[in-house]
Amino acid sequence: MQLALQNAQKGTGSTWTNPLVGAVIVKDQKVLATGYHHHFGGRHAEIDALKNLAKSTDAQGATMYVTLEPCSHFGKTPPCARTLVKAGISRVVIGQRDPNPLVAGKGIAILTAAGIAVQILGQTGGLNAAYNFFYEQHRPLVTLKYAMSLDGKINANAGVRSILTGEKAYADSQLLRRSNQAILIGEHTFKVDDPLLTVRQTVPEFEPLRIILVNDADEIDLRARLFKAKAPILLLSRRQTQRKWPAGVEVHTKSDWKPKQILNLLADKGIQSLLVEGGSRIQADFIAADVVEHLVVYVAPVIYGGGGLPAVFGTSAHRLAQYQLVDRKQLAQDTRFELRRN
């Protein structure tokens, strides 16, 4: 199963809303083939492993280790559970049941009805955390990320962009973007930083949906860098738009956007994970709304003093006590803290 998990990770950044899945075929205590879900819409891990066998007949009487319950429905590909039955697999060891209601035990039922021995381990080392959370909680898993100085400031002066962290922290933050399906910032951050909000250094098959929370979408400057990249854009405006928008830009209007309303909209779009990057008041709003499951904080060895804007500033955010430090690492001169909800 550990080998299957390692193979599953190879699909990172390419499976979009599909889960990462790895598979290994074993017979007579020998690994005959491995496979994984390469990209969204492509063949599933189980089929990939079967294709990698030296001979298709080698599957007969073999055991398959697969990180997620084989699917039972026709989607972009045929049902994997039925393919395993036809291939002659005699035993399937499954990392976890699939929480997607399209599957949710139906794949296991197909296997057992065909006389295939099934073992469910119920543990995959945190693989597909957002996928699992989405189908269990019916909303995206939210990660809040920011960089701050030793005295808790996110910039040196209000209204001025500050580069706090070094190259290693920057590279790490790009991996964080790559692992999320949407990124959210507010209007102030958009105007001050003029960001692209794309994944750089590595090129993912699917760029995250870039979300900007604004007062009036019609006042947005279309010359901003955001509109020069091909990745999709979602503007959440508090006022109705009269503008004709370019392709790839979607505008939704609500007089007072709240974090839970934003998450409900993203859930309707099938978005399973959201990275909230800023600014400070949006950070506080999401913490206060009690919807943040994951915190990543980079601390730089600098002190900005009284003129800087504090992190997580605005709405009362005393619920931070619900988070537990799960990892701390040094990234050159910067320190990365990772916390998860208890």
Side-chain angles (χ1 to χ4, degrees), residues 114-328:
I116 295 175
V118 175
Q119 180 183 356
I120 305 166
L121 300 181
Q123 200 280 116
T124 55
L127 187 72
N128 298 314
Y131 176 84
N132 292 332
F133 184 91
F134 179 81
Y135 284 109
E136 291 165 359
Q137 304 297 326
H138 311 295
R139 68 169 177 84
L141 186 150
V142 178
T143 298
L144 177 61
K145 163 252 174 181
Y146 57 89
M148 69 178 188
S149 63
L150 288 173
D151 55 339
K153 306 298 172 57
I154 62 173
N155 59 18
N157 294 286
V160 179
R161 185 186 183 196
S162 299
I163 305 297
L164 271 162
T165 53
E167 292 183 4
K168 286 191 174 182
Y170 173 79
D172 186 87
S173 70
Q174 291 297 306
L175 292 175
L176 192 60
R177 281 187 178 180
R178 188 185 181 203
S179 65
N180 282 271
Q181 293 168 5
I183 302 172
L184 171 71
I185 63 170
E187 185 170 11
H188 182 72
T189 302
F190 169 73
K191 290 181 177 178
V192 171
D193 291 359
D194 190 21
L196 281 168
L197 296 182
T198 53
V199 178
R200 296 183 287 283
Q201 295 187 331
T202 59
V203 181
E205 192 165 339
F206 297 92
E207 284 281 4
L209 173 66
R210 299 171 297 163
I211 308 169
I212 317 296
L213 182 61
V214 299
N215 284 316
D216 189 344
D218 287 355
E219 294 182 357
I220 290 292
D221 188 351
L222 293 180
R223 296 171 297 178
R225 296 172 71 228
L226 186 82
F227 298 97
K228 296 178 181 178
K230 293 181 180 180
I233 298 169
L234 175 61
L235 299 178
L236 303 179
S237 178
R238 295 186 176 94
R239 297 177 186 171
Q240 290 288 344
T241 180
Q242 306 299 322
R243 178 184 277 175
K244 184 176 181 181
W245 294 91
V249 180
E250 186 177 337
V251 181
H252 285 257
T253 305
K254 194 176 287 292
S255 60
D256 188 19
W257 286 102
K258 301 292 187 184
K260 289 184 179 179
Q261 294 170 334
I262 295 172
L263 295 179
N264 287 339
L265 174 62
L266 296 181
D268 290 342
K269 292 179 171 295
I271 297 295
Q272 299 168 5
S273 55
L274 171 66
L275 178 63
V276 177
E277 291 201 355
S280 183
R281 293 185 184 276
I282 289 178
Q283 296 165 1
D285 287 345
F286 271 80
I287 289 288
D290 201 22
V291 294
V292 176
E293 287 72 44
H294 184 207
L295 284 166
V296 177
V297 181
Y298 302 93
V299 179
V302 296
I303 293 177
Y304 278 156
L309 180 66
V312 196
F313 180 74
T315 307
S316 176
H318 50 268
R319 288 190 174 92
L320 277 171
Q322 295 181 356
Y323 295 89
Q324 180 178 2
L325 182 68
V326 296
D327 186 55
R328 177 176 58 196

Side-chain angles (χ1 to χ4, degrees), residues 15-18 37 39-44 47 71 73-80 102 206:
T15 63
W16 191 227
T17 55
N18 284 356
H37 183 37
H39 58 85
F40 182 78
R43 65 192 182 205
H44 290 184
I47 311 306
C71 66
H73 61 290
F74 282 90
K76 295 183 181 298
T77 60
C80 291
L102 289 173
F206 297 92

